[in-house]
Amino acid sequence: MVDFSFTDEQELFRKAVREWTEKNLPIEKIREMDSQGRIPHEVLKSMGEMGLLIMTAPQEHGGTGADWVTACIAAEELGYADVSIALPVLWLVESSWGYVVDRHCSEQVREAVIRKAIKGDAFIGIGSTEAGGGSDVAAFKSTARKQGNDWILNGEKTYISGTEEAKRLGGGYFVIARTSPAPPEASHRGMTGFYLPMNAPGVEINKRYDDMGRMAISTGGFLMKNVKVPDSNRIGEVDKGFYLTMEGFDTARILIAAVCTGAARRALDIGMEYVKERKAFGKPIGKFQGIQFELADDWAHLEALRSLTFRTAWMMDQRYKEDRFTPLEVSKMIAACKLIAPHFAFDVYKHAMIWLGAYGYTKECPLEMGLRGIMSYCVGAEGATNIQRTIIARELLGKEYIAYK
Ligand SMILES: Cc1cc2nc3c(=O)[nH]c(=O)nc-3n(C[C@H](O)[C@H](O)[C@H](O)COP(=O)(O)OP(=O)(O)OC[C@H]3O[C@@H](n4cnc5c(N)ncnc54)[C@H](O)[C@@H]3O)c2cc1C
């Protein structure tokens, strides 16, 4: 029998997260974070106390051992609460990459960053993208050379979320670097994952971007100049880092989809409240079908997206717990979620903004923060839209149809 309901525990968890967001993330606080360009440390500490940070990490590592459906419930509630989506971004970057690092790291790395990040006292992010491009991971130029029991890292990473947070709170990044020459037929082989602490000698933050949105989390870049890290900072097996990077993208993308469902629901709620009150031609504008139909379409698509997202999160749980689906089957579904969710959420914000007329275009109205924030996921944070299409087409047609091979 198919059962699409959440468990009582999951419903209670949703209620607790909602109460937390209502108390800690009122709209005035979001505006303050957006204009000041930072998330207060006490907000992260409070999330840590609630067990919200890297919550899928096992209890023995400091997490709550939550499943991915439960993590998506948190993502949805955070996406609803923080219209700017800065806090959901920070949360999901840590939740996904922290989870993958924790799964494959040494006890030293766990002590150095994971346990602290779970309490809100450190930041862990992803340092994948390079100046030459982010989509073609196999073409990255950063290198890691073995020297005794250490590795020497060189290269540059750019458009990286959380560089200022990592500097301020402590912590670092999962980075991927080439460790062996690539065989011509498989350029993705020969790359290895490492934990790079931002305070390691030779790490230099060299950029801070002035982004369009999600202002309360920084985006920057850093150089690695002969950075020495011990072998215990290696994440996973030598030359297998590409696969860990793909695992991390999968975990991030499902959470993005859930954040976007929350964000879209918020825009719809703001829009619905307004169209019931605002009058034109003697009637509430919600009485006009021109508005009703778009609103009904958005709601229907939102329900479809939520079903796809939570079904995919459930598949992810089966993959991790029972090996029931292959990683590629799950990746295809996740790519479908990431393909649809940000563009859909962006459209709902745009529609609601238009229903709100001139007021919708002002900074007094929270919708503009949503539009600016969501756009980062349309552009490509955690993987460009066309890359999601490439993954889906590869799984549908077969590897021999990959365009760039
Ligand atoms: C706000 C923000 C935060 C970010 N944070 C991080 C972070 O924390 N860590 C990190 O590592 N990266 C981060 N990124 C970078 C992000 O991962 C990259 O933007 C993304 O991977 C795409 O890379 P690119 O921007 O270099 O675009 P490119 O790879 O240069 O692609 C440019 C365009 O070409 C298209 N394209 C590329 N290849 C193909 C193809 N084969 N077929 C069809 N179209 C194609 C893409 O869809 C895209 O539209 C962030 C980006 C943003 C916007």
Side-chain angles (χ1 to χ4, degrees):
M1 196 177 79
V2 181
D3 183 350
F4 288 110
S5 54
F6 294 112
T7 63
D8 289 348
E9 238 182 22
Q10 286 165 340
E11 293 290 5
L12 280 174
F13 174 74
R14 183 188 289 282
K15 192 164 167 274
V17 180
R18 188 166 298 178
E19 280 167 6
W20 183 87
T21 59
E22 283 169 359
K23 182 164 167 243
N24 292 282
L25 300 175
I27 192 68
E28 302 74 35
K29 183 84 175 179
I30 303 300
R31 271 192 218 293
E32 189 186 305
M33 294 192 323
D34 193 65
S35 61
Q36 294 184 352
R38 73 159 59 190
I39 298 163
H41 190 201
E42 64 264 21
V43 171
L44 298 179
K45 287 293 292 174
S46 176
M47 288 178 100
E49 281 158 21
M50 278 275 293
L52 286 176
L53 299 172
I54 322 183
M55 53 193 282
T56 49
Q59 286 176 352
E60 58 273 25
H61 296 172
T64 64
D67 59 22
W68 288 93
V69 169
T70 305
C72 282
I73 291 173
E76 208 181 15
E77 291 302 318
L78 293 170
Y80 185 90
D82 179 358
V83 231
S84 82
I85 75 151
L87 182 65
V89 166
L90 182 140
W91 173 86
L92 79 86
V93 165
E94 293 205 301
S95 299
S96 50
W97 296 96
Y99 173 78
V100 170
V101 167
D102 179 68
R103 242 168 85 79
H104 301 277
C105 75
S106 64
E107 197 46 47
Q108 286 94 320
V109 168
R110 202 166 282 130
E111 277 303 316
V113 67
I114 298 294
R115 289 181 192 277
K116 289 182 187 161
I118 286 173
K119 292 184 182 147
D121 289 331
F123 174 82
I124 174 116
I126 167 66
S128 156
T129 305
E130 299 192 349
S135 301
D136 190 359
V137 173
F140 288 171
K141 300 271 185 296
S142 295
T143 58
R145 183 171 41 84
K146 190 95 198 279
Q147 189 180 77
N149 201 35
D150 297 320
W151 292 88
I152 310 297
L153 272 65
N154 278 288
E156 181 175 0
K157 298 288 179 181
T158 197
Y159 302 115
I160 304 301
S161 300
T163 42
E164 295 300 317
E165 285 73 10
K167 198 166 72 178
R168 199 164 63 233
L169 292 171
Y173 287 90
F174 172 86
V175 293
I176 178 168
R178 184 155 291 286
T179 36
S180 299
E185 75 290 354
S187 54
H188 62 286
R189 291 202 197 126
M191 307 178 91
T192 304
F194 296 91
Y195 169 61
L196 178 81
M198 285 309 267
N199 63 1
V203 179
E204 190 187 304
I205 295 182
N206 64 340
K207 288 207 176 79
R208 167 134 199 198
Y209 294 99
D210 192 7
D211 281 332
M212 167 180 165
R214 54 185 237 181
M215 309 308 279
I217 175 166
S218 62
T219 312
F222 56 83
L223 298 169
M224 298 178 285
K225 289 183 186 165
N226 291 320
V227 181
K228 191 194 273 193
V229 295
D231 190 49
S232 56
N233 278 33
R234 177 169 44 80
I235 310 296
E237 288 175 50
V238 175
D239 290 346
K240 300 278 171 66
F242 180 87
Y243 304 103
L244 296 193
T245 310
M246 295 305 123
E247 186 183 350
F249 279 135
D250 273 355
T251 54
R253 287 169 187 164
I254 187 65
L255 296 178
I256 289 171
V259 164
C260 288
T261 65
R265 189 162 53 80
R266 178 69 179 270
L268 203 54
D269 280 357
I270 294 172
M272 288 198 294
E273 201 181 304
Y274 189 83
V275 302
K276 284 199 240 168
E277 297 296 324
R278 178 73 172 182
K279 289 202 173 88
F281 302 94
K283 291 179 189 171
I285 57 173
K287 278 212 164 201
F288 298 122
Q289 287 186 326
I291 285 178
Q292 283 186 0
F293 285 5
E294 195 168 51
L295 190 150
D297 281 356
D298 282 350
W299 178 84
H301 288 126
L302 175 57
E303 283 304 306
L305 176 64
R306 284 193 80 213
S307 299
L308 177 72
T309 301
F310 279 101
R311 177 174 163 232
T312 304
W314 170 82
M315 284 176 74
M316 228 166 118
D317 284 326
Q318 307 305 308
R319 172 207 155 169
Y320 278 120
K321 280 191 223 143
E322 297 173 21
D323 263 345
R324 184 151 156 213
F325 299 101
T326 66
L328 288 178
E329 274 175 293
V330 181
S331 291
K332 177 176 71 175
M333 296 299 291
I334 291 173
C337 295
K338 172 67 164 64
L339 171 66
I340 296 170
H343 295 278
F344 168 68
F346 184 87
D347 282 348
V348 183
Y349 269 93
K350 191 178 88 179
H351 296 160
M353 206 178 239
I354 292 169
W355 304 335
L356 267 67
Y359 173 60
Y361 191 62
T362 67
K363 289 200 172 181
E364 257 174 71
C365 170
L367 291 171
E368 61 89 27
M369 277 194 287
L371 209 66
R372 289 191 277 118
I374 292 291
M375 192 61 196
S376 68
Y377 286 129
C378 299
V379 164
E382 306 281 3
T385 304
N386 281 352
I387 298 308
Q388 312 316 309
R389 295 188 171 108
T390 306
I391 293 168
I392 296 168
R394 178 196 70 201
E395 293 310 304
L396 295 177
L397 299 174
K399 280 187 180 154
E400 60 277 26
Y401 284 89
I402 295 177
Y404 46 82
K405 281 206 167 167

